[in-house]
Amino acid sequence: MTHEQIRSLLEGYVFGSLDENEQKQVDAHLQTVCRDCRTELQDLYELSVKLAQSLPQSDPSPQLRENLLAQAARKSVKSSHRFPRRVWLPTSVSAAAAVALFFWGFLLHKENQKLRQRLSEAEDVSSLLRSPGMQFVDLKGVDPNPQAFGKVVLDRQRGKAVVYMYRLPQTPQGKQYQLWVMREGKPTSAGVFTVAPDGSAALKLDRLPGTDGLPSFLVTIEPEGGEAAPTGMMYLTGPVPPEKN
Amino acid sequence: MSDNREQTIDRLLLQLIKEGNQAALASFYDRHSRLIYSLILRIVGRVPDAEEVTQEVFLKVWRSAGSFDSTLGSPLAWLTTVARRLAIDRTRSKHYKSEKSETGLDALEIDDEGGFEGQVASNRLESIGTAEHRVLFSAVERLSEEYRLIVELSYFSGHSHSEIAERLGCPVGTVKTRLRQALGQLRSILMEGKS
């Protein structure tokens, strides 16, 4: 099929009204990273949102929200507790089983704590997202680690922020990453952290150092416990854009 | 808020959902459940089915937020596509079809001349909402009857090109062309509104 023939099928592709063969041909064409078709496809997907937005709007029952969150919580607990399922228990509860039970209980407790912590972090983000003065700041990886990136959700008026960072190299022994707020060339430490095994980290800032003017964020690697001013290699940086009135 | 800002919030929420954040899921649901539920209700026509499918959609988001492909559009476009597909799947299920014949749901479908009947028509007349919603509503209303019918049959009823061709008694090629022209006209009307 020619490029033009494929283009004539994109509306049907977005609406799911093609036959199986046509669908396959469009998929294959898109694999070739045809930029024109991808742009057209994005445009059509956005148009399909507008069609949905043109409908009369009504709310589902509040019960639906509760059911959804309860189900999500069940699925999350199920998947996060997969590991202790194979605990072996003999018919007569032996000392080893008692230890295993204790250990299991401990793991569940730790997992619960983690879940609660994640929930509270997300509640903070949700509250920030609702704040009228909320801003986003993109953090970009610096050579030789351009793959690292991050996002700051910032509320300057309340001095609060949540910082998410991804694809950072593992924290070296005896070191920690340190987040800085740079203002008029002067750095103020906003906290130290280590990264998770997947290179991600999240930092909640409740009393952000002064962010008047146009500050920027900076992440460097420093000796454990942090320094009074940046001394190590820079990993992430991002300027706060001017506030829109 | 600009579309870009809205998209950034959605992308961030999807990232958090992928990491298993339930409050992010609640936020994402609060932002979009009204739109998604309304779309699904329009397709399936019954409140209990619409609620079930809406829940299915957001559980899918919970389980598969990682499958969102940002090169194919915004998170909302992805969500709308998932919702439409699941809603159309529901209308094709045996259970739905058997209940439909018992309750006479056929009355909600469009007639062959492109007119709308029953609840759908009254919903359209009652249509109220935000300024943006009113602009979009009147843009769709301004489509010619022929184009509106083709959009209705393919987008809201989920019929394939060949099913539409059979229903309208025209070649499949005509259906494709008409759908393309219909969306082109809709795009022009929306552009006119912006300028």
Side-chain angles (χ1 to χ4, degrees):
Chain A
M1 245 188 219
T2 65
H3 172 77
E4 277 315 310
Q5 283 171 319
I6 294 287
R7 277 193 86 156
S8 73
L9 292 177
L10 292 180
E11 288 81 6
Y13 182 82
V14 170
F15 285 9
S17 44
L18 300 183
D19 65 37
E20 207 178 319
N21 182 39
E22 290 170 326
Q23 176 96 17
K24 276 186 188 160
Q25 301 214 44
V26 177
D27 278 334
H29 182 75
L30 291 173
Q31 292 295 318
T32 64
V33 198
C34 172
R35 195 168 288 180
D36 284 353
C37 283
R38 283 204 168 242
T39 310
E40 169 110 22
L41 210 55
Q42 281 185 359
D43 185 39
L44 286 168
Y45 276 121
E46 296 311 322
L47 205 57
S48 80
V49 173
K50 297 210 180 305
L51 279 172
Q53 287 169 332
S54 75
L55 291 171
Q57 305 286 298
S58 49
D59 287 310
S61 70
Q63 189 61 38
L64 184 64
R65 185 183 194 273
E66 279 174 38
N67 291 348
L68 168 75
L69 296 178
Q71 279 228 39
R74 273 202 296 276
K75 283 182 195 298
S76 149
V77 168
K78 239 185 194 171
S79 58
S80 63
H81 291 156
R82 241 173 244 147
F83 52 93
R85 276 201 189 151
R86 282 175 174 249
V87 174
W88 175 76
L89 280 179
T91 5
S92 62
V93 179
S94 66
V99 170
L101 261 179
F102 173 79
F103 185 58
W104 186 8
F106 176 72
L107 286 177
L108 285 177
H109 173 70
K110 290 296 273 184
E111 278 300 299
N112 249 337
Q113 266 187 333
K114 259 195 231 164
L115 281 177
R116 257 202 296 271
Q117 190 190 341
R118 283 205 307 226
L119 196 62
S120 116
E121 275 167 15
E123 274 160 4
D124 289 330
V125 177
S126 302
S127 129
L128 277 179
L129 291 176
R130 281 194 294 271
S131 126
M134 182 271 292
Q135 275 186 288
F136 288 113
V137 181
D138 282 315
L139 301 180
K140 293 198 171 130
V142 178
D143 277 339
N145 295 291
Q147 81 290 346
F149 66 99
K151 179 84 74 186
V152 184
V153 187
L154 168 70
D155 182 348
R156 274 207 250 199
Q157 275 126 36
R158 290 192 297 160
K160 285 173 180 275
V162 180
V163 187
Y164 292 95
M165 292 156 284
Y166 302 94
R167 297 194 194 156
L168 282 165
Q170 283 306 298
T171 323
Q173 191 75 29
K175 302 266 186 187
Q176 272 187 307
Y177 286 101
Q178 191 161 7
L179 177 72
W180 307 90
V181 177
M182 301 288 290
R183 204 169 134 250
E184 291 167 0
K186 286 183 192 148
T188 311
S189 174
V192 290
F193 62 95
T194 49
V195 299
D198 64 356
S200 70
L203 215 56
K204 197 175 98 182
L205 310 173
D206 282 329
R207 264 174 289 170
L208 201 61
T211 52
D212 309 342
L214 288 177
S216 59
F217 288 89
L218 189 69
V219 171
T220 59
I221 193 88
E222 303 293 346
E224 211 167 302
E227 288 281 345
T231 60
M233 197 158 85
M234 197 191 328
Y235 281 80
L236 290 167
T237 178
V240 177
E243 271 180 299
K244 282 176 195 156
N245 293 317
Chain B
M1 272 206 240
S2 74
D3 277 1
N4 274 346
R5 190 175 160 98
E6 292 293 305
Q7 278 194 35
T8 310
I9 295 177
D10 281 340
R11 280 172 209 274
L12 182 64
L13 288 173
L14 280 182
Q15 179 66 41
L16 292 170
I17 292 169
K18 196 175 138 191
E19 291 166 13
N21 231 312
Q22 288 165 41
L25 177 69
S27 243
F28 196 69
Y29 177 88
D30 292 341
R31 288 165 64 74
H32 303 304
S33 58
R34 188 175 161 84
L35 174 72
I36 294 306
Y37 173 73
S38 305
L39 172 63
I40 293 170
L41 182 61
R42 175 66 183 78
I43 295 171
V44 301
R46 291 192 300 229
V47 168
D49 283 296
E51 297 219 327
E52 269 179 43
V53 177
T54 303
Q55 179 158 328
E56 227 178 291
V57 169
F58 283 95
L59 280 174
K60 196 174 168 71
V61 169
W62 179 240
R63 285 191 302 259
S64 342
S67 67
F68 163 64
D69 178 359
S70 59
T71 62
L72 287 180
S74 66
L76 187 56
W78 174 68
L79 183 67
T80 311
T81 306
V82 170
R84 236 191 103 248
R85 285 191 183 150
L86 290 178
I88 289 167
D89 283 352
R90 172 62 63 107
T91 62
R92 289 176 181 161
S93 71
K94 275 186 193 160
H95 172 73
Y96 178 89
K97 280 181 182 161
S98 68
E99 289 221 337
K100 181 177 162 182
S101 57
E102 279 168 27
T103 55
L105 196 72
D106 290 333
L108 297 186
E109 289 193 343
I110 50 171
D111 60 36
D112 286 344
E113 280 75 48
F116 295 85
E117 295 179 354
Q119 188 191 334
V120 174
S122 67
N123 273 352
R124 285 156 60 97
L125 292 173
E126 277 168 21
S127 176
I128 45 166
T130 61
E132 191 189 9
H133 165 69
R134 283 194 293 273
V135 167
L136 292 169
F137 176 76
S138 64
V140 174
E141 287 290 295
R142 279 177 61 196
L143 284 178
S144 70
E145 202 59 40
E146 177 188 57
Y147 287 163
R148 212 152 18 109
L149 175 60
I150 210 98
V151 168
E152 175 65 34
L153 288 171
S154 58
Y155 186 73
F156 293 114
S157 304
H159 290 299
S160 69
H161 285 162
S162 46
E163 284 167 344
I164 299 171
E166 199 180 325
R167 185 163 178 167
L168 300 182
C170 64
V172 173
T174 307
V175 172
K176 288 178 191 169
T177 312
R178 239 184 254 173
L179 179 60
R180 193 169 178 78
Q181 289 167 342
L183 295 181
Q185 192 181 67
L186 181 63
R187 206 179 277 134
S188 312
I189 295 172
L190 291 172
M191 290 300 283
E192 258 173 50
K194 272 188 181 172
S195 58

